[in-house]
Amino acid sequence: MSDYKKTLNLPQTAFPMKANLAQREPETLRKWDQIHAREVMVDASGSRGVYVLHDGPPYANGHIHMGTALNKILKDIVVKSRNMQGLAARYVPGWDCHGLPIEHKVEQELKEKKKELPAHVVRKLCRDYAAKWIDVQRKEFKRLGVLGDWDNPYMSMKPAYEAATARELADFVEKGNVIRAKKPIYWCCSCHTALAEAEVEYYDHTSPSIYVRFALPDAGLNKIFPQADPSRASVVIWTTTPWTLPDNMAVCLHPDFAYVLVEAAGAQYLLAEERLASCAALFGWSAPEILGRATGAQLEGLTARHPFYDRPSPLTLGLHVTLDTGSGCVHTAPGHGREDYEVGLKYGLDIYSPLDDAGRFLPAVEFFAGLTVTEANPKVIEKLREKGALLQESRIQHSYPHCWRCKNPVIFRATTQWFISMEKNDLRARALQSIDRDVQWIPAWGRDRIYNMVESRPDWCISRQRQWGVPILALLCEDCGEAWNDPAWMREICDRFAKHPTGCDYWYEADLKDIAPDGLKCPHCGGQHWKKESDILDVWFDSGTSFAAVLEARPELSCPADLYLEGSDQHRGWFHSSLLVSEGTRGRPPYRSVLTHGYVVDGEGRKMSKSIGNVIAPQELIDKFGAEIVRLWVSSVEYREDIRISDQILSRLVDAYRRIRNTCRFILGNLSGLSGACLPPLEQLLPLDRFALDVAARVHERVQRAYADFEFHKVYHSLH
């Protein structure tokens, strides 16, 4: 019989129908390593110049999750597409290694033993912990098919990086932006450290809600309200933090609001007129009689008395007072609130915060010594009731700041900390100008988000009371407590960091005599007894200096970067700190464009949570479907919003992948044996062929434009 199959022109290709991605992908990755695919890709590019995407460092303390997988794949798509468009784009991955989460894990392992160990030993354990997870994450990122300089990544714990970070601090000191002051900052009583705004998360919290009367026996009250009886008069305040009342130093009014003195329940009370009706209903006042009106400005200078301590509480003015809730009269503790602190400075009040690092009242605090702030709340309310100063008590659920690490509520506490001033050298104004003038924000709403944050943020608290990080280079006078930190001396110490095998461990290992200049005298008191500052830098300052430690230090990169690409939470994190450091020491932003993506959520739009049981690990998907399906998912979604993933979504993607793969196989089979030499000139092509080429050219143009505009879902849908 004749073999008719041999007489047919059938498609021929070695491209297999079945992908077997989970099995074949590791082979492909090994081949890429053998042929140095990343270097070959970059070497073949560059005809249109260079493109620099700077990697925001993930934290080295656990397996990657879908959010980090999304981020790394997006960056890989950018880098590969830019290379294919003729721009030499090199990807240098990096890791954030310092900070509380790693130190916290080491503490848990050491338990009580940590208190006995010297700092450099604890730091070595932290370094080893970070290195272990960097190796794990590196393998996981490579398995996703991400091409990068994995053998030479940057790490914030490398000596050269630590030295660069400390040098940026020296530059800030030289410019006069660094101040050391006692100010209220976010404080975590569980972790015993200061927190930056970027390290605070807001959750619902139930707090006590109390209205308190402060006696107002000031004879000057009669000059404003002729019917006043100072012996029976009080000013009404409201607070959800009764524990701060022992530290009260004043009552604050708004200068422009109308305040009334009313007769009710056998006494006289001062409060905002607009809050009278709601307060009267709360207190059970049947028909309060208004005895007179005055603005807050007219009441300034009157003196109330503390409800349970024998000390004055003067009436002050502040624009932060609102009429949304409360009485329009704000209890003011300058040691426990930003606006309170500013009022305290204006009126010369004591910045009083008698708490230890665990949030316990010091022994000198009458009635509440030794109590934590939580324990003190009911005791303060009990004392107010005993003194007849409690007008009303209830509970309130409201959004309250919590520590990003331990998830416990935080407090505002005045302690001596290091700050970068936002006003000195017009840092805030220059940063805002750069946000508007020098950076493209993608999506455009990113501009408003970071602009509003920078516009309203306080001075940057850069000190942390921990061990695992870059030390703040300063010497403290043991005679008067003042600090000394000459910039030239700081840079000399930075040079030693760069040469030391474990970088700034030198600060903890070296004797004081090797660090303090010979014969150094305190400029304030003339003393010669010094100790090393034990605080470390905020980890956001660490990562924010990556432009100096990486972009400016590595010859294959340059600064400013063409692109920073991270999740939308980095407007208050890495984008923010990088901008402030670069603007402060270089006078320009470290990036030209900033692109943000949303969070990964489940198929119903819920945040992934272990408690709900909807967490999907990238490794599970890779083992089941292959990394290419995860990459296809990333390319198919509008990633600038929150991105959904579910079994149903993945099932559709697997079908789409099969369709794309089999179409490619059919096309390859039809092109078997075809070369450019076989193709006839364009004018000899049939109309149908010319139409097909035109369709292909238009798709190609659309795809190129989509890559250039970071609209990768258009690439996927055009192809599909």
Side-chain angles (χ1 to χ4, degrees), residues 327-343:
S327 64
C329 310
V330 175
H331 142 60
T332 298
H336 296 295
R338 190 196 311 168
E339 292 93 352
D340 298 36
Y341 171 77
E342 289 165 358
V343 169

Side-chain angles (χ1 to χ4, degrees), residues 329-406:
C329 310
V330 175
H331 142 60
T332 298
H336 296 295
R338 190 196 311 168
E339 292 93 352
D340 298 36
Y341 171 77
E342 289 165 358
V343 169
L345 288 184
K346 179 181 174 184
Y347 288 92
L349 305 174
D350 187 5
I351 311 300
Y352 186 53
S353 179
L355 301 172
D356 67 12
D357 289 356
R360 288 187 182 276
F361 280 103
L362 299 178
V365 180
E366 191 180 3
F367 308 131
F368 312 109
L371 299 178
T372 66
V373 295
T374 308
E375 294 165 348
N377 272 334
K379 297 294 185 183
V380 170
I381 294 170
E382 188 180 309
K383 179 59 67 175
L384 290 168
R385 190 178 286 112
E386 175 192 319
K387 294 288 185 180
L390 185 67
L391 286 170
Q392 196 267 346
E393 176 193 0
S394 60
R395 307 285 287 174
I396 184 174
Q397 190 175 60
H398 58 154
S399 181
Y400 190 85
H402 289 66
C403 173
W404 68 311
R405 182 61 204 158
C406 68

Side-chain angles (χ1 to χ4, degrees), residues 139-253:
K139 290 189 183 83
E140 292 173 339
F141 287 139
K142 289 176 77 172
R143 182 62 184 87
L144 290 170
V146 177
L147 291 182
D149 192 354
W150 296 109
D151 295 332
N152 189 24
Y154 78 87
M155 304 173 198
S156 64
M157 66 181 182
K158 282 186 176 179
Y161 193 112
E162 291 178 335
T165 296
R167 278 194 199 96
E168 292 303 301
L169 179 64
D171 289 348
F172 267 117
V173 169
E174 189 168 61
K175 292 175 185 293
N177 274 79
V178 177
I179 54 178
R180 184 170 177 262
K182 186 177 183 182
K183 291 186 181 185
I185 40 82
Y186 288 116
W187 183 271
C188 178
C189 301
S190 301
C191 300
H192 295 196
T193 186
L195 298 173
E197 291 209 342
E199 296 167 326
V200 170
E201 299 171 343
Y202 283 83
Y203 303 111
D204 283 345
H205 181 71
T206 301
S207 300
S209 167
I210 60 171
Y211 285 83
V212 182
R213 66 182 189 180
F214 282 52
L216 191 56
D218 193 318
L221 195 63
N222 289 111
K223 296 177 183 177
I224 303 167
F225 305 109
Q227 297 183 62
D229 179 356
S231 67
R232 296 189 298 122
S234 300
V235 59
V236 180
I237 69 95
W238 170 70
T239 183
T240 58
T241 53
W243 67 266
T244 61
L245 280 169
D247 307 338
N248 172 277
M249 292 291 152
V251 174
C252 200
L253 316 179

